[in-house]
């Protein structure tokens, strides 16, 4: 395959993941009140770190690198936790938690196969659903304008612009195929921004004022601070991300005819942990495998590691060009809000998809979902409900994601891991569905 074709395919992968890569820093930075200049740097460093994280997985070493054509980007699972940590503990605690959770992943990478039993789909699906649900208010706040004190908050122009962006994304997702469908979010952002510019919502001042080239610096925003609650929160997020990435590992292993064994998995897990450590040092974020690029490989049939390696180099180069990052900051808040509704809705959809497979496995799983999602959302809405408990227990009760995740883990152990035998004389009511199921199977066999 010639260099021009490799570069073209690499650029295609860059476009497929770009919207997801830039949305995370834009959402987090906007929620934490960063200035346009700070946002420009945050987007730049995130793009650069996506490239470095991707290279860590594309390579194949003795300790790091699964050696598959994986694309890594910041996980949306981390958005709500990072915003919450930033508001409650400060920027230093965000990066301390990202570094610590990454180091923990590196340490447990070799034995994660044993720990994964604690995180079956019923647990990870509950956590992803909780996170997705808590993200939706952020999306609608941005769709309304972002600043509740602004006189144009929830104005007709803001709301129409947000839902126009959402409509464009839906139309492209529904009526296009292949590569165009994979960049539906990016197209929605572009068209929404163009329409907003005609409405006078777009300013290019930040692009004009941005430098052509800059150097990245460690601890640019804050020196890491290590607090227990943020570290536990981000560690749970990291483990959930690993479980999600494992699916991409096996999918690509099958596509490329590459065996994925425990040693390969351990190298992949350690690479994701190392990427988070480096990301925290340079004030970026934790990273996970991007499934949209796996889907693009299935569509194109090209599964070459060289393509992803070139794409990673492109991302690293873009990270040193502030003007490119500044272009993303001109996207109006309502346009971002419209795209967020789709993106965060997909997070919920992914969680529900995981739960859908798990809920039919046992009746107890329905109770696990009910209690864990209820606990997670309840603590998020009313974080002071457990204030009467000792302060030492605040790690379990003050954060909705931690509370919901631990509830799911404990209930999964109770319902699915502790041996328990039903009374042999089961009630008549419980045997009826089994009889009906047998009848359905019998009828199906007859038709077959």
């Amino acid at each position: 395959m010639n260099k021009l074709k490799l570069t073209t395919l690499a650029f295609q992968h860059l476009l497929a993941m770009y919207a997801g890569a830039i949305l995370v820093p834009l959402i987090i930075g906007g929620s934490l009140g960063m200035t346009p200049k700070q946002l420009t740097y945050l987007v730049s460093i995130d793009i650069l770190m996506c490239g470095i994280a991707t290279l860590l997985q594309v390579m194949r070493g003795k300790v790091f690198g699964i050696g598959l054509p994986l694309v890594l980007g910041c996980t949306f699972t981390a958005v709500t936790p990072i915003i919450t940590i930033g508001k409650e503990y400060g920027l230093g605690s965000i990066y301390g938690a990202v570094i610590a959770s990454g180091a923990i992943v590196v340490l447990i990478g070799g034995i994660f196969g044993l720990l994964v039993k604690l995180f079956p789909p019923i647990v990870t699906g509950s956590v992803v659903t909780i996170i997705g649900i808590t993200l939706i208010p952020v999306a609608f706040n941005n769709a309304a304008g972002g600043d509740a004190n602004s006189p144009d908050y929830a104005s007709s122009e803001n709301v129409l612009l947000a839902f126009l962006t959402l409509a464009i994304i839906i139309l492209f997702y529904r009526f296009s195929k292949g590569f165009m469908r994979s960049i539906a979010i990016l197209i929605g952002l572009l068209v929404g921004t163009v329409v907003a510019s005609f409405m006078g919502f777009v300013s290019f001042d930040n692009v004009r004022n941005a430098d052509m080239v800059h150097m990245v610096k460690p601890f640019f925003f804050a020196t890491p601070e290590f607090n227990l609650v943020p570290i536990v929160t981000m560690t749970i997020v990291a483990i959930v991300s690993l479980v999600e990435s494992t699916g991409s590992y096996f999918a690509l292993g099958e596509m490329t005819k590459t065996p994925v064994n425990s040693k390969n998995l351990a190298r992949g897990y350690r690479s994701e942990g190392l990427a988070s450590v480096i990301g925290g040092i340079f004030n970026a974020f934790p990273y996970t495998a991007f499934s949209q690029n796996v889907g693009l490989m299935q569509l194109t049939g090209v599964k070459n590691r060289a393509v992803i390696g070139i794409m990673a180099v492109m991302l690293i180069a873009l990270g040193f060009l502030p003007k490119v990052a500044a272009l993303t900051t001109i996207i109006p808040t309502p346009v971002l809000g419209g795209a967020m509704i789709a993106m965060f809705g997909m997070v919920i959809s992914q969680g529900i998809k995981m739960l859908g497979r798990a809920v039919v496995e046992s009746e107890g799983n329905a109770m696990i979902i009910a209690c864990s999602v209820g606990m997670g959302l309840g603590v998020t809405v009313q974080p002071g409900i457990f204030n009467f408990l000792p302060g030492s227990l605040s790690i379990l009760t003050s954060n909705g994601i931690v509370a919901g995740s631990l509830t799911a883990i404990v209930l999964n152990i109770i319902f699915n891991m502790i041996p328990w035998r039903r009374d042999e004389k089961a009630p008549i009511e419980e045997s009826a569905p089994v009889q009906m199921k047998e009848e359905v199977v019998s009828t199906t066999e007859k038709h077959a």
Side-chain angles (χ1 to χ4, degrees), residues 109-443:
I111 61 169
F112 185 70
L114 301 176
L115 298 177
V116 77
K117 293 180 180 179
L118 296 174
F119 294 87
I122 189 65
V123 173
T124 54
S126 297
V127 175
V128 172
T129 303
I130 292 167
I131 291 172
I133 290 172
T134 57
L135 282 169
I136 291 298
V138 177
F140 271 79
N141 180 58
N142 279 281
D147 183 2
N149 298 318
S150 174
D152 67 342
Y153 186 78
S155 66
S156 58
E157 291 86 355
N158 285 348
V159 175
L160 287 172
L161 194 55
F163 283 93
L164 172 65
T165 302
L166 178 60
I168 292 166
I169 292 170
I170 293 171
L171 289 172
F172 268 89
Y173 198 82
R174 172 63 182 86
F175 295 107
S176 62
K177 294 181 180 180
F179 174 65
M180 293 301 292
R181 187 180 185 185
S182 71
I183 62 169
I185 299 289
L186 183 61
I187 292 172
L189 289 171
L190 290 172
V191 175
T193 302
V194 170
V195 173
S197 67
F198 288 106
M199 298 169 64
F201 281 36
V202 176
S203 171
F204 289 89
D205 290 344
N206 192 40
V207 179
R208 284 192 290 267
N209 295 332
D211 296 328
M212 287 297 299
V213 181
H214 72 168
M215 291 301 297
V216 297
K217 303 174 185 176
F219 313 126
F220 180 84
F221 291 111
T223 303
E225 298 175 9
F226 300 93
N227 295 302
L228 189 57
V229 174
I231 290 172
V232 170
T233 303
M234 292 308 299
T235 300
I236 291 173
V237 169
I239 290 174
V240 171
S241 295
L242 288 185
V243 174
E244 292 179 321
S245 291
T246 303
S248 295
Y249 296 167
F250 281 109
L252 282 174
E254 185 176 342
M255 289 166 58
T256 60
K257 309 301 181 186
T258 303
V260 178
N261 53 35
S262 58
K263 292 183 179 180
N264 293 341
L265 288 173
R267 294 200 306 270
Y269 298 147
R270 292 192 197 105
S271 289
E272 289 200 18
L274 180 60
S276 291
V277 172
I278 299 172
I281 291 172
F282 285 93
N283 289 173
F285 308 110
Y287 296 88
T288 190
F290 266 20
S291 58
Q292 58 262 48
N293 292 88
V294 177
L296 183 58
M297 287 179 216
Q298 290 175 325
L299 289 169
T300 62
V302 178
K303 304 170 283 285
N304 194 328
R305 282 196 299 159
V307 171
I308 305 303
I310 293 170
M311 188 218 70
V313 173
M314 289 179 178
L315 288 171
I316 293 171
L318 289 175
F320 290 101
L321 304 174
K323 280 195 181 294
V324 176
L327 281 171
T328 66
T329 67
I330 70 172
I331 303 172
T333 303
V335 174
L336 280 176
M340 287 179 201
I341 294 172
M343 293 289 283
F344 297 161
M346 290 299 287
V347 174
I348 299 174
S349 176
Q350 178 65 20
I352 293 172
K353 183 179 179 181
M354 298 164 74
L355 293 176
R357 293 192 297 264
V359 75
V360 298
E361 293 176 1
S362 73
E363 296 173 358
N365 282 349
M367 183 59 72
I368 297 174
I369 297 169
C371 293
S372 59
V373 175
M375 180 68 75
L377 188 57
V379 171
T380 299
V381 175
Q382 295 291 343
I385 191 171
F386 294 116
N387 283 349
F388 64 91
L389 293 174
S392 58
L393 294 177
S394 64
I395 185 174
L396 307 177
T397 60
S398 61
N399 184 289
I401 294 170
V402 173
S405 302
L406 293 179
T407 300
I409 293 169
V410 171
L411 291 183
N412 177 62
I413 293 172
I414 294 172
F415 280 95
N416 297 324
M417 299 180 72
I418 297 178
W420 178 73
R421 192 178 72 177
R422 286 179 179 270
D423 187 359
E424 291 180 0
K425 294 183 179 180
I428 295 175
E429 290 82 356
E430 292 189 3
S431 63
V434 177
Q435 184 178 357
M436 289 176 63
K437 184 178 180 181
E438 291 174 352
E439 291 174 358
V440 171
V441 172
S442 177
T443 305

